[in-house]
Amino acid sequence: QVQLVESGGGLVQAGGSLRLSCSASGPFNTYGMGWFRRAPGKEREFVAGISWIDNGTTKNYADSVKGRCSISRDNAKNTVYLQMDSLKPEDTAMYYCAADPYGPGSEREASYDYWGQGTQVTVRG
């Protein structure tokens, strides 16, 4: 069983930054990884994804965060990160990481087999 544990969320002012972390068990270096979020009253949506190949150089971002967020991975630490800058109140959500064995970091939620419990990000306007 693959387990994912997110951390790094918190309360920040608009314009601030956070770095979310997701620690994974299992053969992490073969997992495509994704970050999703669910805002209050809304469905879960894609934020960013990173591939398992080419040292994670294949990355995808939702238009809503493109230019403000950066996904990266450290295979030696079995960890994927989401650096978020210039945060907006609209970024307030529960953030989840997900793993897709041999995946490209797809924006499709159905591509991922494993999910963490989430870490809360709250941005005050």
Side-chain angles (χ1 to χ4, degrees):
Q1 180 75 261
V2 174
Q3 294 184 324
L4 307 173
V5 181
E6 302 95 335
S7 62
L11 175 65
V12 298
Q13 294 294 123
S17 298
L18 285 173
R19 190 179 75 163
L20 308 184
S21 299
C22 176
S23 179
S25 66
F28 178 78
N29 63 312
T30 66
Y31 297 164
M33 300 294 296
W35 284 97
F36 293 76
R37 67 186 182 186
R38 178 177 284 150
K42 296 184 178 181
E43 296 182 354
R44 187 159 56 189
E45 65 178 357
F46 173 77
V47 178
I50 187 168
S51 66
W52 68 272
I53 60 173
D54 298 325
N55 294 314
T57 56
T58 300
K59 302 175 181 179
N60 297 310
Y61 296 98
D63 288 341
S64 59
V65 303
K66 192 173 298 181
R68 300 187 296 115
C69 294
S70 179
I71 188 170
S72 61
R73 64 190 299 158
D74 186 336
N75 289 342
K77 296 182 178 179
N78 277 19
T79 301
V80 64
Y81 304 96
L82 183 68
Q83 177 69 42
M84 301 189 294
D85 301 313
S86 301
L87 285 164
K88 304 175 180 179
E90 301 94 291
D91 296 317
T92 295
M94 183 72 74
Y95 283 71
Y96 303 87
C97 69
D100 175 22
Y102 302 101
S106 174
E107 65 185 68
R108 289 183 54 83
E109 184 173 335
S111 296
Y112 296 88
D113 296 320
Y114 308 103
W115 294 82
Q117 295 300 306
T119 184
Q120 178 67 39
V121 171
T122 302
V123 184
R124 299 170 62 180

